[in-house]
Amino acid sequence: MARVYMETLIQRCVTFSQIKQLQSHFLTAGHFQSSFLRSRLLDRCAVSPFGDLSFAVQIFRQIPKPLTNDWNAIIRGFAASSQPSIALTWYRSMLFQASSSSSSSSLCRIDALTCSFTLKACARALSSSFTPQLHAQINRRGLFADALLCTTMLDAYSKNGDLISARKLFDEMPVRDVASWNALIAGLAFGNRAHEALELYKRMESEGIRRNEITVVAALGACSHLGAVKEGEKIHGYVKDSNLDQNVIVCNATIDMYAKCGFVEKAFQVFDQIRGEKSVVTWNTMIMGFAVHGEANRAIEIFEKLEDNSIKPDDVSYLAALTACRHAGLVEYGASMFKNMACNGVEPNMKHYGCVVDLLGRAGRLREAHEIICSMSMVPDPVLWQSLLGASEIHKNIEMAEIASKKLVEMGVNNDGDYVLLSNVYAAQGRWKDVGRVRDDMETKQVKKIPGLSYIEAQGAIHKFYNSDKSHQQWRQIYEKIDEIRFKIREDGYVPQTGLVLHDIGEEEKENALCYHSEKLAVAYGLMVMVDGGEEESPVRVIKNLRICGDCHVVFKHISNVYKREIIVRDRVRFHRFKDGSCSCRDYW
């Protein structure tokens, strides 16, 4: 009875001073010898938001022979702290004590909770090397049958990017609950294997396993990555049928999915129809959705409504609004907003500076952009110099391009895109020796150019194309379609942008080099096959991993005019909506 009363006292502690008073009472009354009460008090001190982990460690140090629950309390505390890697050190110490004990029946033994807390630390500390070691320990100690522990281990593998081990573990698990499926789907969705994440989601559906809010958020994230709007619409249908649309996190993921798939109006419908209270994340997602679609006025309109709805704009709100300004060339408004941030209690971070540098640079105000970088109180990161380099390429400013490029070299950055941008500036001026020197530098430093990659969803499947790709089973028909397109758009006034080809070769060879970019192949395939099942009126939607090339941008404007077909391209930076011979970016990109 006394133990129950003491445990109730521990649970009633809501301040650190109460914990300290109770600890003193335990010491004077002799209750500290009770391992159960001691570990409960340690756990309360180590994990609760009002506790003190360092004080919990002090208590632990006073225990002559710490038992399993004592160790677990400290490991759990560090696993949830801002320094989760320290939990791994404590686990090693506990393992040493457990293995050095003379008795096999020692009360200090690694148990399922020890491994679970340590695995959570691995996931938070991104310790990819420690997870397999724990996996081996779990097998050795016969704990593999614990479904909850296996799910925690699966989550650790997934968050550390070891998706091969995660998938293998998933297949070997004797019992899988919804949390197991969720851990793997989320790992695949955010680990560049979004297609597999959707396949697993469909398998979950076919096996009759009820999907919850965590499942659909991960699956919607996979749809966002792939631009797979049809799959996203099916998931949205399930969300509504299951009343998951009352969950604001699910609504946020749905808004993000529609916006990233090119349906910003559908994203706004979801935003507008949320019945509960919108979070700041909801507003930020919608602002960013309009921003990347070039709908700057609507993005700013929503941004300005934040405070009317009693929501204080945070750093992401300002970032989204500045992104809208940079994509629309709203230089003065964006610069004014940037200056007012600190007055509104939001300190600009590196991303905000990056937006302003890009905003000024795109407008041709390169010297102002350079001055902002040089006047920063923090050390500029490579992205700022890359933004200046990109702006220098747009405005063919060799001096600024060389300044930015030199800074990037000094910082040890070997990004292929930076070399390409500098080459573009030299090539535009016909300085082929300098182009050659840049290429030689790339070769010496073994810098590989990231291949262009584009996706298109057509006929119920996701199709992937690389530059000059011939791996698709219909590649011959696609290349024939490219020839047809070239013929038709020439009649519409198309002139190849051969100045973008960074080789000192003939004009005809340059034209051929431009023909088979991944986004052109994807659009050609879309025009070729999207004629059945009601798809003939649908826009051709393409997702590209890099920025759309200048020639492709011109080509798609002509295609939209000649074929009377809307084309939507999501590149690394923003959306481009081509219709009736023009683009939504108004050629400001």
Side-chain angles (χ1 to χ4, degrees):
M1 196 72 174
R3 193 174 92 164
V4 174
Y5 173 70
M6 290 301 172
E7 187 181 1
T8 303
L9 284 180
I10 294 169
Q11 294 305 315
R12 285 180 178 173
C13 288
V14 292
T15 65
F16 179 51
S17 63
Q18 288 175 349
I19 289 176
K20 291 181 74 174
Q21 288 171 23
L22 197 56
Q23 188 242 352
S24 298
H25 173 68
F26 278 10
L27 282 171
T28 55
H31 297 307
F32 207 67
Q33 300 305 313
S34 166
S35 62
F36 176 82
L37 292 176
R38 185 180 65 221
S39 62
R40 282 282 192 273
L41 184 67
L42 265 178
D43 196 68
R44 192 76 171 162
C45 187
V47 178
S48 62
F50 52 81
D52 186 323
L53 185 53
S54 62
F55 186 71
V57 171
Q58 285 180 35
I59 297 174
F60 181 90
R61 301 288 189 206
Q62 295 169 15
I63 304 170
K65 292 183 179 180
L67 305 182
T68 298
N69 288 339
D70 300 319
W71 286 95
N72 285 353
I74 302 299
I75 292 171
R76 183 185 180 193
F78 277 112
S81 75
S82 59
Q83 296 177 293
S85 59
I86 296 178
L88 309 183
T89 305
W90 277 82
Y91 174 83
R92 289 191 189 97
S93 299
M94 182 182 180
L95 185 63
F96 176 77
Q97 178 169 320
S99 61
S100 63
S101 173
S102 58
S103 171
S104 60
S105 61
S106 167
L107 293 178
C108 175
R109 288 180 292 183
I110 304 292
D111 65 7
L113 282 175
T114 316
C115 295
S116 179
F117 297 147
T118 311
L119 283 166
K120 287 175 181 175
C122 288
R124 294 192 65 236
L126 300 180
S127 177
S128 57
S129 62
F130 208 87
T131 308
Q133 295 176 40
L134 275 166
H135 191 167
Q137 286 284 339
I138 287 165
N139 285 336
R140 191 177 301 123
R141 295 171 188 276
L143 300 172
F144 190 74
D146 188 317
L148 184 59
L149 181 58
C150 284
T151 299
T152 307
M153 182 160 54
L154 177 59
D155 185 58
Y157 273 130
S158 296
K159 285 178 178 170
N160 279 291
D162 189 353
L163 296 173
I164 294 173
S165 296
R167 190 63 192 252
K168 186 173 183 292
L169 173 61
F170 179 84
D171 292 337
E172 291 172 352
M173 286 173 66
V175 179
R176 291 191 290 260
D177 60 9
V178 66
S180 313
W181 291 82
N182 290 348
L184 185 56
I185 291 171
L188 293 168
F190 301 108
N192 267 343
R193 290 166 68 172
H195 189 76
E196 290 179 56
L198 286 182
E199 290 301 318
L200 197 63
Y201 175 85
K202 291 177 192 174
R203 181 179 152 193
M204 192 178 182
E205 181 182 12
S206 67
E207 292 188 18
I209 300 168
R210 184 169 178 78
R211 291 139 289 156
N212 61 20
E213 64 275 11
I214 298 171
T215 324
V216 298
V217 166
L220 287 166
C223 294
S224 299
H225 181 79
L226 294 171
V229 69
K230 289 178 183 174
E231 291 299 330
E233 286 176 325
K234 290 177 188 175
I235 297 168
H236 186 202
Y238 174 79
V239 164
K240 289 187 283 189
D241 293 342
S242 306
N243 289 324
L244 291 173
D245 54 346
Q246 295 180 40
N247 183 305
V248 70
I249 297 173
V250 172
C251 290
N252 295 345
T254 308
I255 294 167
D256 187 61
M257 180 275 294
Y258 277 125
K260 286 181 177 172
C261 288
F263 288 83
V264 72
E265 289 303 330
K266 285 192 175 182
F268 184 69
Q269 284 175 20
V270 176
F271 174 85
D272 205 36
Q273 291 169 7
I274 292 176
R275 293 190 292 274
E277 190 174 334
K278 298 180 179 76
S279 70
V280 68
V281 176
T282 316
W283 291 84
N284 292 349
T285 305
M286 195 65 251
I287 296 167
M288 188 63 83
F290 279 130
V292 296
H293 278 270
E295 300 268 5
N297 291 333
R298 295 180 74 181
I300 290 166
E301 181 184 346
I302 294 206
F303 174 79
E304 292 178 344
K305 283 181 179 177
L306 271 170
E307 293 192 353
D308 294 340
N309 286 270
S310 302
I311 294 179
K312 187 174 175 61
D314 62 10
D315 58 330
V316 180
S317 312
Y318 278 101
L319 180 65
L322 285 169
T323 299
C325 294
R326 82 189 251 221
H327 286 324
L330 302 178
V331 183
E332 300 306 329
Y333 186 92
S336 174
M337 181 188 297
F338 179 74
K339 287 176 183 175
N340 291 333
M341 280 179 63
C343 300
N344 294 327
V346 180
E347 279 298 318
N349 62 33
M350 201 68 72
K351 290 183 178 179
H352 299 110
Y353 276 105
C355 267
V356 172
V357 167
D358 195 53
L359 174 67
L360 293 169
R362 286 171 187 267
R365 292 158 64 166
L366 297 171
R367 296 211 172 274
E368 284 181 63
H370 183 237
E371 285 169 9
I372 283 182
I373 297 175
C374 294
S375 65
M376 286 171 58
S377 57
M378 61 190 88
V379 177
D381 73 0
V383 175
L384 272 72
W385 293 112
Q386 287 166 337
S387 295
L388 184 62
L389 179 57
S392 302
E393 189 260 348
I394 292 169
H395 296 285
K396 308 295 183 287
N397 189 314
I398 290 177
E399 179 192 356
M400 279 297 175
E402 288 179 334
I403 289 171
S405 179
K406 184 181 177 183
K407 288 289 184 183
L408 289 166
V409 170
E410 288 173 0
M411 297 172 86
V413 178
N414 280 320
N415 184 292
D416 69 295
D418 302 336
Y419 288 94
V420 171
L421 287 172
L422 184 60
S423 292
N424 282 352
V425 178
Y426 286 136
Q429 303 295 327
R431 289 172 54 169
W432 299 110
K433 284 185 179 179
D434 288 316
V435 171
R437 177 176 53 78
V438 173
R439 289 190 169 274
D440 288 343
D441 283 348
M442 288 182 73
E443 191 172 329
T444 302
K445 294 174 182 175
Q446 296 183 323
V447 178
K448 298 272 177 79
K449 186 177 178 184
I450 297 171
L453 172 64
S454 297
Y455 294 93
I456 183 170
E457 185 181 20
Q459 297 186 320
I462 305 290
H463 300 264
K464 181 168 64 176
F465 295 93
Y466 291 93
N467 289 345
S468 303
D469 197 354
K470 292 185 179 179
S471 63
H472 196 281
Q473 60 182 6
Q474 291 179 270
W475 75 267
R476 294 183 191 280
Q477 296 97 309
I478 295 169
Y479 276 51
E480 286 173 10
K481 189 70 176 179
I482 290 278
D483 289 338
E484 174 201 302
I485 290 168
R486 288 173 71 186
F487 178 77
K488 287 188 174 182
I489 63 175
R490 279 186 183 279
E491 292 186 334
D492 194 53
Y494 164 65
V495 177
Q497 307 291 295
T498 53
L500 298 173
V501 181
L502 307 180
H503 297 282
D504 191 10
I505 54 178
E507 287 299 303
E508 187 175 347
E509 291 170 284
K510 287 184 179 183
E511 286 185 37
N512 289 332
L514 292 169
C515 282
Y516 306 112
H517 285 184
S518 65
E519 58 265 54
K520 286 192 178 86
L521 296 175
V523 167
Y525 179 73
L527 291 173
M528 190 176 83
V529 302
M530 292 173 67
V531 292
D532 299 316
E535 289 188 308
E536 66 274 6
E537 296 300 323
S538 303
V540 176
R541 301 175 187 276
V542 173
I543 308 294
K544 182 174 168 63
N545 66 329
L546 306 173
R547 276 189 81 209
I548 186 172
C549 107
D551 185 72
C552 290
H553 197 269
V554 172
V555 165
F556 295 161
K557 286 197 290 185
H558 284 289
I559 290 175
S560 70
N561 188 48
V562 171
Y563 287 82
K564 302 302 176 189
R565 192 70 175 268
E566 188 176 356
I567 299 168
I568 299 171
V569 178
R570 185 184 96 193
D571 71 4
R572 184 172 56 83
V573 176
R574 60 167 297 158
F575 275 88
H576 297 267
R577 187 180 296 268
F578 302 91
K579 190 174 182 180
D580 299 327
S582 62
C583 179
S584 59
C585 75
R586 300 185 300 280
D587 298 335
Y588 189 87
W589 56 282

